[in-house]
Amino acid sequence: MSQSEQMTPLTEKDLSYMKDAIHWEMLACKKAYQYAHQTLEPECRQLMFQVAEQHQKNLEAIVQHMGEHVQQSVQCAVGGAQPMSTHQPQM
Amino acid sequence: MQQQQQQQTQMPTPQFKFEGGHLVMYHQEATGLPTTRDSNVNDRDRMTDMLSTEKYLNSSYDTFLNEASHEALFQVVKQNHTKCQDLQRQLYTTMFKKGWYKLAVADAQSVSDAFTKATQLKTQLPFPSNLGQMSSNQGTNVSITKAMQEAQQQMQQQQATPQQTSQTAQTGRSQAQTVSPVQSFTPAQQQAATQVQSAVHSPQQNQH
């Protein structure tokens, strides 16, 4: 990842979609895992486990990307740029 | 992890056969449809539900990709989307193999009809056909540059001769005016018409 890409901030829209996607993946993962235990037919059972595992990986990928942004905002704060939450005009 | 991915991509392509106008697996496995018919959720129900969950995820990720702004995030989401599409395909293939899906085969006549219509539609396409050169990008690039050159030439021609075209348009209009009224009108009206004609012609003459 290049320096300029690292500095691109996350928009509100991006963030809310990421939250949504995490919920989709969590539900799909739990569902597939439960179905895998209930399924009798071996091939379907194995496929269900694969599905659950893949959804967990997808979720982790999104969370990992989110984590990179958290680190980045910390670096910004150390570098002098103020995060939005602490930026308040002093009267 | 790479080995797993390879296994996923190397799913054997199913062998089909036609049965009563339906497309079914050639070696439909012994399990087939669940035999018990009660209100309990069976294997087929679970697979169907998981399949529709994947479909839902696919369309949701599609919207996400359309709306995403951050480039790195876009790539992450794109990868997740592809994975979900693969899962959906695997679920479908497995269900089809078990005989839980039966699909009607299209009539051969309607296929050939649709093909004929599509071939006729192709005459409206702007570029020369690239069939056979699909693998090489060069073919398309050549036709695009050719089209751009042609468009530029047309632009230059229009810029070079704007007066000529406007003049021909004017003369064309005045000819139409002379032809139609003279035949049907009375002499007095003809006079008026010729006066109008001369009035129309005069600015052109001034131009010359």
Side-chain angles (χ1 to χ4, degrees):
Chain A
M1 199 188 288
S2 71
Q3 189 70 28
S4 59
E5 274 177 27
Q6 263 187 348
M7 295 313 289
T8 314
L10 212 56
T11 63
E12 280 180 14
K13 207 173 193 179
D14 285 340
L15 183 62
S16 68
Y17 266 109
M18 281 169 89
K19 285 184 202 164
D20 276 2
I22 286 168
H23 283 121
W24 306 332
E25 294 287 1
M26 180 60 88
L27 178 64
C29 179
K30 280 181 176 176
K31 192 191 253 187
Y33 191 72
Q34 194 179 355
Y35 282 180
H37 283 286
Q38 292 168 353
T39 303
L40 305 171
E41 207 278 320
E43 198 183 346
C44 294
R45 192 183 168 90
Q46 199 202 340
L47 183 56
M48 282 293 186
F49 274 119
Q50 272 182 28
V51 171
E53 192 191 12
Q54 186 58 58
H55 283 305
Q56 185 174 335
K57 280 179 191 165
N58 287 359
L59 192 151
E60 283 167 352
I62 297 173
V63 174
Q64 193 192 343
H65 185 79
M66 216 181 238
E68 284 169 14
H69 279 279
V70 174
Q71 283 179 351
Q72 183 186 310
S73 68
V74 169
Q75 283 170 2
C76 282
V78 170
Q82 284 189 325
M84 288 295 282
S85 56
T86 57
H87 181 72
Q88 282 172 351
Q90 290 177 350
M91 298 299 282
Chain B
M1 183 161 161
Q2 279 187 344
Q3 282 180 351
Q4 256 190 358
Q5 281 177 350
Q6 278 179 356
Q7 279 177 359
Q8 281 176 8
T9 48
Q10 286 172 357
M11 284 274 289
T13 43
Q15 303 287 310
F16 307 124
K17 67 169 177 179
F18 303 127
E19 199 179 82
H22 283 75
L23 193 65
V24 292
M25 276 299 294
Y26 194 70
H27 294 294
Q28 195 167 313
E29 288 181 14
T31 52
L33 294 165
T35 46
T36 52
R37 291 180 182 275
D38 52 25
S39 59
N40 289 332
V41 176
N42 56 36
D43 284 2
R44 186 190 180 181
D45 295 330
R46 278 184 280 270
M47 290 292 277
T48 312
D49 190 27
M50 209 60 230
L51 186 69
S52 39
T53 305
E54 292 302 332
K55 285 182 183 175
Y56 167 71
L57 271 175
N58 277 337
S59 56
S60 306
Y61 266 126
D62 202 42
T63 318
F64 192 168
L65 284 176
N66 284 334
E67 303 292 333
S69 75
H70 197 276
E71 178 58 29
L73 174 67
F74 179 83
Q75 294 302 333
V76 170
V77 174
K78 200 172 165 188
Q79 220 170 18
N80 282 6
H81 186 34
T82 315
K83 294 278 166 60
C84 284
Q85 281 173 326
D86 290 348
L87 287 179
Q88 189 270 335
R89 190 67 196 166
Q90 268 181 293
L91 283 165
Y92 167 77
T93 317
T94 310
M95 289 183 75
F96 189 79
K97 214 162 64 177
K98 301 270 175 250
W100 295 344
Y101 254 102
K102 279 190 179 179
L103 300 167
V105 176
D107 185 28
Q109 185 59 45
S110 49
V111 173
S112 82
D113 284 354
F115 179 72
T116 315
K117 275 187 182 171
T119 314
Q120 286 166 355
L121 270 181
K122 274 172 68 180
T123 55
Q124 297 174 19
L125 291 174
F127 298 112
S129 179
N130 281 320
L131 275 182
Q133 307 170 11
M134 293 289 268
S135 53
S136 67
N137 283 329
Q138 225 177 358
T140 51
N141 282 341
V142 166
S143 60
I144 287 171
T145 45
K146 206 173 169 184
M148 279 172 71
Q149 280 172 357
E150 280 176 6
Q152 211 165 14
Q153 280 175 0
Q154 278 183 0
M155 288 261 288
Q156 284 171 352
Q157 280 178 359
Q158 280 178 359
Q159 281 176 351
T161 58
Q163 285 184 342
Q164 275 186 6
T165 48
S166 64
Q167 276 177 6
T168 47
Q170 277 181 354
T171 49
R173 231 179 289 145
S174 55
Q175 275 174 2
Q177 279 173 346
T178 51
V179 171
S180 54
V182 169
Q183 288 173 343
S184 55
F185 289 148
T186 56
Q189 279 175 329
Q190 274 186 15
Q191 272 190 350
T194 46
Q195 279 175 1
V196 171
Q197 277 172 26
S198 60
V200 170
H201 279 292
S202 56
Q204 266 194 345
Q205 285 167 353
N206 287 344
Q207 274 185 1
H208 288 296

